[in-house]
Amino acid sequence: MATKNLSEYDLTSVPAATGMKFGIVVAEWNYEITGALARGAIDTLKIHGAKDENIILKHVPGSFELTLGAQYMAEFTDVDAVIVLGCVIQGETRHFDFICNGVTQGITNLNMKYNKPFIFGLLTTGNQQQALDRAGGKLGNKGDEAAITAIKMLALKRELTK
Ligand code: RBF
């Protein structure tokens, strides 16, 4: 089955991000990839109307730290949504599973705990090429997709709470 291009979406279906505040937490591990994810997310937020001053970008050492970094964003800033960006590449040890499961469960819990969107932008790939393909390569950029998801979730919240 073909994987969809992560950067392709219907422009007209994306609500305006005007007035929305975003936190982005980026893992430093595999920074060639996570830096590209962050650039994609920021560019996409701005294309849809987010202002520079409404985007807070912070780094954590590795993907395992994304959950706590995201919780800090929610506790200590006034962001409306948090995007976490990381890349875990399968190695020869079982760390891959432990890290991926930890982040997946951690981010799921934060969504429920804060009633805010915490967007899961974690690439979990078998090798570096698969990650590059999804970080601005031939399959688009997972950071773009994460940004669109954050905007859409905040728009949904606005719609249901107004
Ligand atoms: N962090 C990542 O973001 N991506 C990885 O691929 C990754 N691989 C790791 C492999 C091993 C064997 C270890 C010990 C750590 C790895 N980490 C990785 C770092 C991890 O997310 C975390 O920063 C550290 O375990 C410290 O809590």
Side-chain angles (χ1 to χ4, degrees), residues 1 15 22 25-26 33 38 40 65 74 76 87 103 108 142 149 157:
M1 193 177 82
F22 301 90
V25 186
V26 185
I33 289 151
E65 285 71 42
F76 306 137
C87 171
V103 182
T108 303
K142 182 97 181 152
T149 306
K157 190 175 182 184

Side-chain angles (χ1 to χ4, degrees), residues 29-30 62-65 87-89 93 95 99:
W29 258 75
N30 299 314
S63 293
F64 189 75
E65 285 71 42
C87 171
V88 193
I89 298 176
T93 68
H95 274 85
I99 294 171

Side-chain angles (χ1 to χ4, degrees), residues 104-126:
T104 307
Q105 198 53 56
I107 297 302
T108 303
N109 292 345
L110 290 178
N111 274 281
M112 301 301 111
K113 178 175 171 185
Y114 288 95
N115 204 24
K116 285 183 178 187
F118 288 79
I119 308 303
F120 184 79
L122 184 70
L123 287 176
T124 58
T125 62

Side-chain angles (χ1 to χ4, degrees), residues 1-108:
M1 193 177 82
T3 306
K4 75 164 191 143
N5 186 301
L6 296 158
S7 301
E8 277 175 12
Y9 53 90
D10 176 8
L11 268 172
T12 59
S13 76
V14 184
T18 325
M20 296 176 178
K21 292 192 177 182
F22 301 90
I24 304 179
V25 186
V26 185
E28 290 165 346
W29 258 75
N30 299 314
Y31 197 70
E32 179 187 2
I33 289 151
T34 62
L37 297 178
R39 282 189 291 280
I42 292 167
D43 288 349
T44 302
L45 291 175
K46 286 164 73 170
I47 285 168
H48 292 284
K51 294 214 158 42
D52 272 323
E53 62 264 32
N54 288 336
I55 302 173
I56 301 177
L57 175 69
K58 295 291 173 192
H59 294 84
V60 294
S63 293
F64 189 75
E65 285 71 42
L66 287 171
T67 304
L68 187 56
Q71 175 158 303
Y72 286 167
M73 278 280 188
E75 283 286 329
F76 306 137
T77 78
D78 62 349
V79 297
D80 302 306
V82 182
I83 297 168
V84 304
L85 300 171
C87 171
V88 193
I89 298 176
Q90 196 147 24
E92 290 179 355
T93 68
R94 296 187 60 210
H95 274 85
F96 180 83
D97 298 319
F98 295 134
I99 294 171
C100 296
N101 291 339
V103 182
T104 307
Q105 198 53 56
I107 297 302
T108 303

